[in-house]
Amino acid sequence: MGEIIVELWAFMATRKKFWLLPIIMLLLTLGALVMLTEGSAVAPFIYTLF
């Protein structure tokens, strides 16, 4: 897992693609939110967002 983060950071630093960082953070946050609320009472409210 750590290698992926290092390679992604190296890519963004080399290619000056720092605008990708907010997109990646948003996707990780949404993925964690979906995983953590799986099967809970909050799940119907999250699914209405999509």
Side-chain angles (χ1 to χ4, degrees):
M1 180 68 177
E3 294 175 15
I4 294 172
I5 296 170
V6 171
E7 283 188 34
L8 184 61
W9 182 256
F11 169 76
M12 288 191 305
T14 303
R15 306 279 187 186
K16 306 291 189 234
K17 304 274 186 197
F18 290 110
W19 55 269
L20 287 173
L21 191 59
I23 297 170
I24 293 168
M25 295 304 290
L26 179 70
L27 288 174
L28 288 175
T29 303
L30 287 176
L33 186 64
V34 167
M35 282 181 16
L36 291 175
T37 59
E38 189 80 25
S40 72
V42 184
F45 300 111
I46 291 176
Y47 291 124
T48 59
L49 294 175
F50 302 107

